Amino acid sequence: MSSLRRIKLRHLETFVEVARQKSVSRAAENLHLTQPAVTRTIRELEDICGKPLVEREGRGIRISHHGEVFLRHAGSSLAAARNGINALAELDVADGPKIRLGALPTVSTTIVPRAVAKYLKSGMRNRLKIITGENRALLDQLRNGELDLVMGRLPAPDVMQGLIFEPLYRDKVIFAVHASHPLASRRQFAVEALDSYPVLVPTLQSIIRPFVDRLFIEQGITEPLQVIETVSDSFGRTFVSQHQAIWIISHGVVSAQIESGEYVTLPIDTESTMGSVGLCTRADSKLSPACTYFADIIRRQVAEAS
């Protein structure tokens, strides 16, 4: 037992490397040690074991019979130690703080996916948790400590208690239709034409609904006859593409489809719906280094898109 206590990890590393290279000089080079240091370590190990582990053979060396026996156990012990170190590193990652982001539809199909891709390429290993939903629900989770960040439109003052908003860019509501829609090629039309088609509008709880309601008043638009309230972008995309629907939605949600020509914006002035989009955090809590790093990636993605 006293001999076992004298064996250090450096003894095992040096012996295994010498046995692998069958050369003290090459082992020294790979271990970034001098040849005398390697020779001294092998001699210490032989003294501890009480057996010759390495023998001279011509101008080189070979592992002795005793060394071969010891090598089988030394190699597995060294591998076990390295596996233990790796396991601890993985445990740190698994148990480390996640980056928990709430994303409104405005950014969940544009800025956030690009930021996540950049994050994964950065080498950072804290796990990500991205959820979407309505504004109030996400802000409640942020306030309760279930989320670290929420990205979306500037919330109403009555829900900002205890929160800080950092504006990053501005976005507006638009009336979007599929390129095959009968109104898609119209440069102008009477607002009564909206009654002939299904119209998707944000739910009452959504952050942009007050902007839409005010827009209806400004433009003299009565509530369309076929209204469907939704904040589901997957439903919205499918329904707009297949059923000649008009989608009243934040530009950011469908910007890719507009740029590709799949969707068309109807000629309705919606400048009054312009509002800030940014990051919400808790006023009484400091972001972890990983969250701070991810937030910086989001800022860079916004800057690059501008």
Side-chain angles (χ1 to χ4, degrees), residues 37 40-41 48 75 77 86 101 103 105 117 129 135 183 192 195 233 236 247 257 259 282 293 299:
R40 185 168 57 252
T41 301
I48 293 170
S77 297
N86 291 336
L101 174 72
K129 179 181 180 181
N135 180 57
L183 297 180
E192 289 79 10
D195 289 335
D233 60 320
W247 196 1
Q257 287 73 24
E259 290 175 8
R282 291 190 302 278
Y293 182 79
R299 294 182 186 102

Side-chain angles (χ1 to χ4, degrees), residues 12 15-16 69-83:
L12 300 181
F15 176 68
V16 169
V69 173
F70 184 78
L71 179 62
R72 290 195 292 271
H73 299 282
S76 60
S77 297
L78 185 59
R82 288 170 174 166
N83 289 337

Side-chain angles (χ1 to χ4, degrees), residues 212-247:
V212 174
D213 290 341
R214 186 167 64 245
L215 178 67
F216 276 16
I217 295 173
E218 292 173 352
Q219 298 288 333
I221 301 173
T222 58
E223 183 172 295
L225 297 178
Q226 304 176 63
V227 166
I228 302 168
E229 294 188 357
T230 182
V231 291
S232 170
D233 60 320
S234 57
F235 170 76
R237 295 178 203 284
T238 301
F239 200 74
V240 165
S241 298
Q242 298 180 3
H243 299 285
Q244 294 190 341
I246 299 169
W247 196 1

Side-chain angles (χ1 to χ4, degrees), residues 26-228:
R26 288 197 296 270
E29 182 179 352
N30 288 348
L31 293 169
H32 304 290
L33 298 172
T34 64
Q35 291 187 43
V38 170
T39 300
R40 185 168 57 252
T41 301
I42 294 297
R43 287 175 179 170
E44 287 176 2
L45 183 59
E46 289 178 325
D47 181 65
I48 293 170
C49 294
K51 303 289 182 181
L53 304 178
V54 177
E55 297 175 344
R56 290 189 175 278
E57 186 177 60
R59 295 184 177 181
I61 62 168
R62 69 180 180 88
I63 303 302
S64 70
H65 171 69
H66 295 105
E68 293 289 354
V69 173
F70 184 78
L71 179 62
R72 290 195 292 271
H73 299 282
S76 60
S77 297
L78 185 59
R82 288 170 174 166
N83 289 337
I85 292 172
N86 291 336
L88 288 175
E90 292 174 0
L91 182 63
D92 286 342
V93 171
D95 289 349
K98 291 182 180 179
I99 301 171
R100 304 167 300 172
L101 174 72
L104 270 68
T106 309
V107 297
S108 62
T109 60
T110 53
I111 299 297
V112 171
R114 293 197 293 269
V116 169
K118 287 285 187 182
Y119 175 83
L120 294 177
K121 291 179 180 179
S122 71
M124 292 285 288
R125 297 181 63 189
N126 294 69
R127 294 180 181 176
L128 294 170
K129 179 181 180 181
I130 312 294
I131 66 171
T132 61
E134 293 185 335
N135 180 57
R136 284 184 179 270
L138 294 180
L139 293 181
D140 284 344
Q141 291 180 65
L142 174 64
R143 195 176 286 106
N144 294 336
E146 299 170 42
L147 293 174
D148 303 301
L149 299 159
V150 170
M151 186 174 187
R153 276 240 182 183
L154 172 63
D158 62 317
V159 296
M160 278 298 293
Q161 184 175 0
L163 303 178
I164 298 174
F165 179 81
E166 176 190 351
L168 298 178
Y169 68 98
R170 293 170 65 78
D171 194 17
K172 66 178 179 180
V173 173
I174 60 170
F175 287 60
V177 296
H178 193 267
S180 63
H181 194 282
L183 297 180
S185 59
R186 301 274 191 91
R187 293 188 175 181
Q188 60 182 7
F189 57 86
V191 291
E192 289 79 10
L194 300 180
D195 289 335
S196 300
Y197 306 99
V199 179
L200 306 183
V201 301
T203 61
L204 290 173
Q205 294 75 27
S206 70
I207 196 167
I208 63 172
R209 180 58 181 267
F211 293 89
V212 174
D213 290 341
R214 186 167 64 245
L215 178 67
F216 276 16
I217 295 173
E218 292 173 352
Q219 298 288 333
I221 301 173
T222 58
E223 183 172 295
L225 297 178
Q226 304 176 63
V227 166
I228 302 168

